[in-house]
Amino acid sequence: LGARRRLLVLDDDDLEGRRVKLARALANAGRGEEAGETFLLAVSGASAADAIDLRRRAAEQFLLSGHVARGIESFREVLASVGIRYPNHLFQAILTLLWVRIVLVVRGLRFDETDESMIAPAARLRVDTCHSAALGLAPTDTIRGLVFYARSMLLSLELGEPGRIACHLGVEAINLVANSGKKSARTYQMLQKAKDLAERAKSSHARGVVAYAEGMGHYLMGQWSEAVDAFLRADEIFRDECAEMPAEFRTLQACGVHCYWEMGEWQKL
């Protein structure tokens, strides 16, 4: 704690970078509120785009750690800064969800693949902000969480960056299983497409999310052993290849414990 306090007040040329590293470490340790505070401290001296991204990450951490009111208020500001409105009323959220879903059905999942380096930072930030809002809101506000999942998926398809599209296809596959209670041919095709895109993007995060999505598909169908295998693959990718644990990591751990419970493998709990 003393070292952390010294880092937060230290005045040097790389202070913002060191604060971001500390915020990541706190997030990985499950200390979301402190991570959010530290991300906000790193805003000072950051560029305009980086400042928005740091506030986005702070808002996500506040929501994931249960500080819902503060997280929502933070996301209102971040979303406004990238030109996206937060649906204040439930009816407005439902209409927005229906509209975006209709657009997705009409346009399909077509996209023109584009390397991430060729995409403007502001465009990437819009996608990532919607995705963070979806991850943070989903546990406590399902409708608005679905709104931002749909919006981030639509924006990802418009960008054409394969790593982000892979993550969204994985989540879409989970939704298909959750809605139908079974894995359809479309679900298998979507997961395979997500795997291929994640490999082409050479994105460890995308590969981990797709493995997590595969595990969730088995989990929702009560296929505990298959779910554990997929969760362990995702766990290994997240731990060994990602600098920052994604929000899916917490769900992965909880569902993995439940799988071992259902299988009667108490020694692994």
Side-chain angles (χ1 to χ4, degrees):
L1 181 58
R4 174 172 171 260
R5 284 174 176 165
R6 288 195 296 273
L7 178 57
L8 294 183
V9 299
L10 187 62
D11 185 15
D12 64 31
D13 293 337
D14 192 35
L15 180 57
E16 284 71 34
R18 294 170 68 183
R19 281 173 172 166
V20 171
K21 290 178 181 179
L22 174 59
R24 285 177 174 174
L26 289 167
N28 290 346
R31 295 161 65 175
E33 183 183 17
E34 293 173 87
E37 295 283 5
T38 311
F39 276 129
L40 291 179
L41 285 172
V43 168
S44 176
S47 66
D50 287 343
I52 294 173
D53 191 52
L54 289 167
R55 289 198 295 269
R56 169 189 71 82
R57 293 160 80 176
E60 180 181 317
Q61 288 300 317
F62 290 142
L63 281 177
L64 291 174
S65 59
H67 299 272
V68 177
R70 186 175 185 186
I72 290 174
E73 188 57 36
S74 299
F75 261 122
R76 287 182 193 274
E77 298 174 4
V78 178
L79 288 163
S81 67
V82 296
I84 297 173
R85 293 182 61 186
Y86 183 91
N88 292 316
H89 304 291
L90 181 59
F91 184 67
Q92 180 186 7
I94 293 172
L95 287 180
T96 302
L97 176 59
L98 291 174
W99 170 249
V100 177
R101 278 292 170 185
I102 289 171
V103 172
L104 284 169
V105 169
V106 172
R107 79 174 303 283
L109 300 178
R110 301 180 305 277
F111 63 94
D112 295 322
E113 190 168 326
T114 306
D115 188 86
E116 184 172 10
S117 63
M118 303 299 292
I119 301 172
R124 295 199 302 265
L125 191 53
R126 282 171 61 85
V127 177
D128 294 341
T129 300
C130 284
H131 187 62
S132 287
L135 289 172
L137 289 169
T140 57
D141 191 339
T142 304
I143 296 298
R144 288 182 177 86
L146 289 173
V147 167
F148 287 110
Y149 265 127
R151 293 200 69 162
S152 59
M153 184 171 185
L154 179 58
L155 289 170
S156 292
L157 291 169
E158 291 173 351
L159 284 188
E161 194 278 306
R164 288 174 173 80
I165 294 172
C167 293
H168 285 92
L169 290 180
V171 173
E172 193 69 6
I174 295 173
N175 291 335
L176 287 175
V177 176
N179 291 333
S180 66
K182 61 182 180 180
K183 279 190 175 180
S184 62
R186 187 185 176 201
T187 305
Y188 283 108
Q189 292 169 1
M190 195 169 290
L191 281 172
Q192 187 58 52
K193 180 69 171 177
K195 289 180 184 178
D196 293 343
L197 288 172
E199 291 295 336
R200 287 216 299 274
K202 296 181 172 59
S203 168
S204 297
H205 174 258
R207 287 172 43 240
V209 171
V210 173
Y212 159 81
E214 187 176 2
M216 285 302 297
H218 291 300
Y219 177 82
L220 292 170
M221 296 176 62
Q223 298 170 341
W224 313 120
S225 178
E226 293 87 344
V228 165
D229 290 342
F231 287 150
L232 289 175
R233 290 199 305 274
D235 184 280
E236 183 177 3
I237 293 170
F238 288 146
R239 289 181 185 274
D240 295 347
E241 302 180 32
C242 297
E244 190 173 340
M245 293 296 106
E248 292 87 354
F249 186 71
R250 305 180 190 193
T251 307
L252 178 158
Q253 290 180 309
C255 291
V257 168
H258 182 218
C259 288
Y260 285 129
W261 176 273
E262 292 289 350
M263 292 188 294
E265 298 188 15
W266 322 114
Q267 72 279 7
K268 294 182 179 180
L269 294 177

